[in-house]
Amino acid sequence: MKDILSELEDRREAARLGGGQRRVDSQHAKGKLTARERIMLLVDEGSFEEFDMFVTHRCTDFGMEASKPAGDGVITGWGTINGRQVYVYAQDFTVLGGSVSATHAQKICKIMDMAMQNGAPVIGINDSGGARIQEGVDSLAGYGEIFERNVRASGVVPQISLIMGPCAGGAVYSPAMTDFIFMVKDSSYMFVTGPDVVKTVTNEVVSAEELGGATTHTRKSSVADGAFENDVEAIAEVRRLFDFLPLNNMQKPPMRPFFDDPSRVEESLDTLVPVNPNTPYDMKELILKIADEGDFFEIQEDYAKNIITGYIRLEGQTVGVVANQPMVLAGCLDIDSSRKAARFVRFCDCFDIPILSLVDVPGFLPGTSQEYAGVIKHGAKLLYAYGEATVPKVTVITRKAYGGAYVVMSSKHLRGDFNYAWPTSEIAVMGAKGATEIIHRADAGNPEKIAQHTADYEERFANPFVAAERGFIDEVIMPQSTRRRVSRAFASLRTKKTHVPWKKHDNIPL
Ligand code: HXC
């Protein structure tokens, strides 16, 4: 009996060694943790329950039957993050380069199925040479099975991808279909075709880091939602994000104990908006002053900085924030910011996370580059996302809300529940100067008259009261009381119910 028990321990020990000490050392030398170390950091201590530790590949080509490492290059199972259940897989680069065989894929599919069945998120840690070359189409089939599950799980359980090594070819499409992608600087990359193929086909010379590193994907392509210095920081931040999210689409996000007075008055907000309407100010200051304990988890911080997206808590409840940033491009909407915010709004809506919109938007960015690249279709994404969202929606206009952008940014007309404006708001079809130049074109040669017309227009329209008179703004509020007003608004909306007519699914302009 003892022999049998010790055989189990021996087998476990061998499986835990992965590809052996030499390869583990090589992984560490690259500044990367092993798959097992990553999981141990990600989940609560002692909470990890492993599945399929002894699964091996079934390939008999190219001499593969001679080596059948236990686990087949991926560690799968479940654990908890601050006590809440999560399913996890981590590809083990020390075993055949973490490459995906038929059985490797089966292991991932098994925990994805369990996650769906039990209503818990999936976190995938990617570090893989891609399709197991010796297995050919069996490997491709495995990827296909994972992709299909990514689609089915979308909007049912949150899916988070960590990229912590190579992720190339069709393999990128599993993370691409998850809700969030986080990368590690200098040790991870994602691309559909690597630098060698790029050189052959287009004659461009580019390094793997330049082509698909964390900086590229968080600043240029927007494929990734965040970039971190190393594995430890990335995992710690994913744990932080996880605490904001619900486990599935049938549950509310977790309520956290809070130690910050919801009625906290912030007098400094009364002077946040500068006297000159063209002077920028930092919208992040407002977000941090509204949030419980000033805690803000930003998504896509380095991309389309003219809009800010991320999570805060109000009275312990998760709230998604979308805010125009006057410091960048005057906070205007353009293709990139519309896409960024639309995806964020849709995530919040499918997982029942209320949305707070902070508005200071002078309109859409003009120009041929925007029009040729389809700002109509991309801008419509954000309009559509806000219009379809049925979660509680609270909006605060701090300054400009002009033209179409006014409507887009969670206006009353898109079923905003509470639409507040600061006294500094200017809700109008456009800025006073532009409006005057159009409606008083005949006086274009007379600067004095134009100045008078502009002043008249400002007097009449550069305020929140025209909109408030029509009920498009529910209340003009003191900036210092914003946290209290917004917290109370969301508290009143906790029981919100809306009716959505049956449809198979919508047809958002993609
Ligand atoms: C089998 C693989 C492998 C793979 C790596 N290995 N990738 N084995 N299939 N795809 C093995 C290596 O043979 C090696 O084994 C070990 O993993 C570590 O690899 P190294 O090359 O030594 O590591 P490194 O120098 O860090 O280079 C990493 C790498 C390189 C850049 C990822 O291994 C590489 O280019 N691999 C091939 C990538 C590829 O072409 N994959 C298929 C893409 S197509 P030993 O025994 O020496 O330690 C694809 C399609 C997916 O993925 C489609 C989905 C629909």
Side-chain angles (χ1 to χ4, degrees), residues 23 30 93 96-97 99 129-134 140 143 147 170 189:
R23 292 192 181 89
K30 291 180 200 154
F93 193 80
L96 295 157
S99 57
R132 175 94 41 94
I133 293 166
Q134 296 89 335
L140 301 186
Y143 272 113
F147 296 165
Y189 53 81

Side-chain angles (χ1 to χ4, degrees), residues 80-96:
T80 57
I81 293 179
N82 290 321
R84 298 164 70 234
Q85 193 181 21
V86 62
Y87 284 81
V88 184
Y89 73 84
Q91 292 176 315
D92 184 351
F93 193 80
T94 71
V95 175
L96 295 157

Side-chain angles (χ1 to χ4, degrees), residues 439-485:
I439 54 183
H440 297 290
R441 195 169 283 160
D443 292 333
N446 187 333
E448 267 173 33
K449 275 193 168 172
I450 286 289
Q452 187 54 50
H453 291 315
T454 305
D456 291 346
Y457 191 92
E458 269 172 11
E459 172 73 15
R460 174 79 183 91
F461 292 113
N463 61 61
F465 299 106
V466 181
E469 281 161 18
R470 285 156 179 75
F472 303 155
I473 292 297
D474 297 302
E475 184 75 308
V476 181
I477 62 169
M478 287 296 282
Q480 58 171 274
S481 67
T482 306
R483 175 173 156 84
R484 178 171 62 84
R485 303 300 292 245

Side-chain angles (χ1 to χ4, degrees), residues 82 84 239-245 253-258 260 264 287-288 290-297 310-321 483 487 490 494:
N82 290 321
R84 298 164 70 234
R239 281 180 61 95
R240 205 177 134 223
L241 171 64
F242 188 87
D243 284 349
F244 283 96
L245 307 181
M255 290 288 279
R256 220 169 74 172
F258 58 98
D260 195 354
R264 172 166 45 80
I287 298 172
L288 296 178
I290 293 176
D292 282 1
E293 288 111 21
D295 187 16
F296 178 48
F297 189 98
Y311 300 103
I312 61 169
R313 291 186 189 84
L314 289 173
E315 297 188 275
Q317 184 191 47
T318 303
V319 171
V321 179
R483 175 173 156 84
S487 300
F490 281 119
R494 287 204 183 122

Side-chain angles (χ1 to χ4, degrees), residues 22 31 53 56 104 233 241 290 364 373 385 401 415 438 452 479:
R22 184 176 59 82
M53 188 186 224
T56 57
H104 177 123
E233 189 190 12
L241 171 64
I290 293 176
F364 277 93
R415 295 185 295 169
I438 293 169
Q452 187 54 50

Side-chain angles (χ1 to χ4, degrees), residues 171-198:
V172 297
Y173 286 112
S174 173
M177 287 191 291
T178 62
D179 298 302
F180 300 102
I181 298 180
F182 297 102
M183 297 183 73
V184 179
K185 291 180 192 164
D186 302 321
S187 62
S188 70
Y189 53 81
M190 297 178 80
F191 36 66
V192 173
T193 49
D196 294 343
V197 178
V198 169

Side-chain angles (χ1 to χ4, degrees), residues 247-431:
L247 296 180
N248 58 59
N249 64 343
M250 305 300 279
Q251 286 186 15
K252 295 265 178 209
M255 290 288 279
R256 220 169 74 172
F258 58 98
F259 306 96
D260 195 354
D261 180 4
S263 301
R264 172 166 45 80
V265 167
E266 285 286 352
E267 281 173 9
S268 61
L269 291 179
D270 290 346
T271 51
L272 179 68
V273 173
V275 177
N276 180 343
N278 296 321
T279 306
Y281 61 94
D282 190 358
M283 190 64 100
K284 272 193 198 163
E285 189 179 330
L286 175 57
I287 298 172
L288 296 178
K289 285 183 173 161
I290 293 176
D292 282 1
E293 288 111 21
D295 187 16
F296 178 48
F297 189 98
E298 191 163 352
I299 300 289
Q300 299 225 343
E301 183 175 1
D302 294 322
Y303 184 76
K305 292 179 172 201
N306 42 332
I307 208 151
I308 306 167
T309 52
Y311 300 103
I312 61 169
R313 291 186 189 84
L314 289 173
E315 297 188 275
Q317 184 191 47
T318 303
V319 171
V321 179
V322 179
N324 308 114
Q325 172 57 290
M327 306 265 283
V328 180
L329 291 171
C332 71
L333 288 177
D334 59 357
I335 291 171
D336 295 346
S337 57
S338 299
R339 282 179 43 237
K340 168 178 164 180
R343 184 158 167 79
F344 181 81
V345 166
R346 294 197 100 215
F347 178 84
C348 291
D349 191 44
C350 50
F351 287 107
D352 216 6
I353 298 174
I355 300 167
L356 171 64
S357 303
L358 303 175
V359 181
D360 186 349
V361 64
F364 277 93
L365 182 67
T368 50
S369 66
Q370 288 289 307
E371 297 292 348
Y372 293 171
V375 67
I376 296 174
K377 188 161 269 184
H378 297 294
K381 290 181 174 148
L382 183 55
L383 173 60
Y384 195 107
Y386 267 126
E388 75 174 340
T390 54
V391 287
K393 294 186 282 195
V394 176
T395 306
V396 180
I397 300 173
T398 58
R399 188 166 62 176
K400 296 169 191 165
Y402 290 166
Y406 150 70
V407 179
V408 169
M409 290 301 299
S410 200
S411 63
K412 202 76 194 159
H413 324 290
L414 300 179
R415 295 185 295 169
D417 294 300
F418 281 77
N419 289 72
Y420 289 136
W422 284 5
T424 43
S425 297
E426 305 167 23
I427 304 166
V429 74
M430 58 169 63

